[in-house]
Amino acid sequence: MAGLVNVLATVAVVAIVIARQFRARAIDTDRRWWLLPVILAVVSLREPGILDAHHRAESAVLLVTELFIGLVTGVGWGWTTRIWTAPDGVVWTKSSKASGAVWIVGIALRAGVFALGSALGVHQDSSALMLGLAGTLLVRGGILTWRAQSVGAPSHPTTCHPTPSHPATSHPAPAYGGDERSAWKERV
């Protein structure tokens, strides 16, 4: 039953994340962006079936591979997400088409790891997928927070106003695969 709950929780988190990533959203750099990934990691690591008892070495290699894919997906997603500062000084984010491609490649690689594990006869628990997702969200959140701070994000986007030391600008921050449209075209 715990495996089914993990799968449903993972699917729900992925659905929410994917749905939200293509909408423009303000970034609050003081927010606890690391909390959800830490909760997912703790839930996945507390499960006893994360490693196959009969194939410990193989399942450990598959788990490390899953975690590596998750971290690389998070890096790709963080760097392909568009970040820009609106005229009021609020930093906004929206995933680009390249971010969607990163997700597709990440999912395909995870499916390949699962297929390889199945071909080797290794039992794979949903905990590995959840741990990989936690890694993806943690790295992506860290990169976006760092990028937002580097373009002058205020600590509280709803209450801060631009100052001479942090002037408002409408120039988007560099993102691989991001288009160079201004903030007003994003329907913010």
Side-chain angles (χ1 to χ4, degrees):
M1 186 66 164
L4 178 61
V5 171
N6 285 350
V7 169
L8 292 176
T10 303
V11 168
V13 169
V14 168
I16 290 168
V17 167
I18 289 175
R20 291 179 64 190
Q21 79 172 336
F22 289 102
R23 289 188 314 215
R25 293 183 319 124
I27 295 180
D28 181 359
T29 57
D30 281 348
R31 153 183 102 100
R32 294 185 181 139
W33 53 268
W34 48 267
L35 188 59
L36 177 62
V38 168
I39 291 170
L40 287 174
V42 168
V43 168
S44 68
L45 290 173
R46 73 173 175 79
E47 294 296 320
I50 197 162
L51 293 178
D52 185 351
H54 303 291
H55 303 95
R56 286 215 179 268
E58 294 91 344
S59 64
V61 168
L62 291 175
L63 179 62
V64 168
T65 304
E66 173 69 34
L67 188 55
F68 179 74
I69 290 169
L71 295 175
V72 170
T73 302
V75 169
W77 185 16
W79 283 105
T80 57
T81 299
R82 241 183 101 235
I83 292 180
W84 70 96
T85 305
D88 62 356
V90 176
V91 178
W92 290 81
T93 181
K94 183 178 178 183
S95 289
S96 64
K97 291 178 185 176
S99 302
V102 168
W103 266 98
I104 291 169
V105 169
I107 290 170
L109 289 172
R110 286 181 170 121
V113 168
F114 184 80
L116 177 63
S118 295
L120 294 173
V122 177
H123 171 74
Q124 299 169 75
D125 197 63
S126 61
S127 298
L129 179 63
M130 191 179 300
L131 187 60
L133 178 61
T136 299
L137 295 176
L138 184 67
V139 170
R140 186 250 186 187
I143 289 173
L144 284 182
T145 300
W146 177 76
R147 287 181 63 207
Q149 290 171 343
S150 70
V151 296
S155 297
H156 304 284
T158 57
T159 60
C160 270
H161 300 286
T163 64
S165 62
H166 289 94
T169 173
S170 62
H171 302 292
Y176 177 79
D179 51 27
E180 296 299 320
R181 296 180 297 176
S182 63
W184 67 271
K185 289 187 180 178
E186 294 296 333
R187 300 180 194 267
V188 181

